[in-house]
Amino acid sequence: SRFKLDTMAIVSPSILSSNFAYLQKDIEMLNESEADWFHIDVMDGVFVPNISFGFPILHSIRNIVKKPLDVHLMIVNPERYVERFRDAGASIITVHYEACADLKRTIDLIHSCGVKAGVSINPETPTAVLREILPCVDLVLIMSVHPGFGGQKFIEDSLQKICEVKRMISEENLSCLIEVDGGIGLGNVEKVVRAGADAVVAGAAVFSAESPESVIRDMKKL
Ligand code: DX5
Ligand code: ZN
């Protein structure tokens, strides 16, 4: 079930940092760029102290987006909405370990909807909690900032966590991907990938740049 096609890192720009008044323009820019996925940050104001966007935005963009939607659910009890995110066009649905009453059941539900399933852990959550679920997921999303806002500083301890998950995956001979989210830009993407990341999310680094396309290109060119 490995869905990474080459040795280059997958780059998944987060549209959270886009200017929503010009969302179509930013989507077209990402379509033309070397970005691999679109990272979609959904926040409920309960799991995280912020509210982002939900189904109406996804339905409006799904027909113009030409790449997989990598949906990151920062919401409590995400199992309630898995089907609707599938219907809204998600290719990957990632839920938080901390937000699920029954994680295995939620992952199975995502798979039964025909979507790739990811599990995410917050910066303060140890990687050991992943051991049991690892064989069942397609992706592990390691948060390298406290979820809720774009534009925060990368937490350096995340590098160690990437290495730990990488080791768990190779020890068990598994095929799931490691994605890292928060505070990643041209200054640190190389060490994140060297630590073992297969995919990186970038919000502020892409959208606050004068040339977002060249930041994306440079992030892939390692
Ligand atoms: C944080 C989100 C991230 C964030 C990434 O809650 O999950 O995806 O928007 O943005 P940057 O790259 O600006 O940290
Ligand atoms: Zn995210």
Side-chain angles (χ1 to χ4, degrees), residues 97 103 121-122 124-135 140 142 160-161 164-165 168:
Y97 165 84
L103 180 60
I121 53 169
N122 279 340
E124 64 277 8
T125 302
T127 56
V129 305
L130 297 172
R131 200 167 279 283
E132 233 178 288
I133 201 71
L134 221 46
V140 171
I142 298 174
Q160 179 62 36
K161 293 176 79 178
E164 288 168 15
V165 175
M168 286 159 72

Side-chain angles (χ1 to χ4, degrees), residues 105-156:
R105 226 177 134 148
T106 306
I107 297 296
D108 289 346
L109 174 64
I110 297 170
H111 281 144
S112 72
C113 288
V115 176
K116 301 279 186 192
V119 60
S120 183
I121 53 169
N122 279 340
E124 64 277 8
T125 302
T127 56
V129 305
L130 297 172
R131 200 167 279 283
E132 233 178 288
I133 201 71
L134 221 46
C136 310
V137 295
D138 303 291
L139 181 142
V140 171
L141 179 63
I142 298 174
M143 289 307 301
S144 44
V145 296
H146 294 282
F149 301 89
Q152 302 180 74
K153 191 180 173 304
F154 182 84
I155 298 171
E156 293 293 325

Side-chain angles (χ1 to χ4, degrees), residues 29-40:
M29 177 277 290
L30 292 177
N31 279 340
E32 297 309 311
S33 79
E34 290 180 37
D36 299 278
W37 299 343
F38 278 57
H39 189 79
I40 306 294

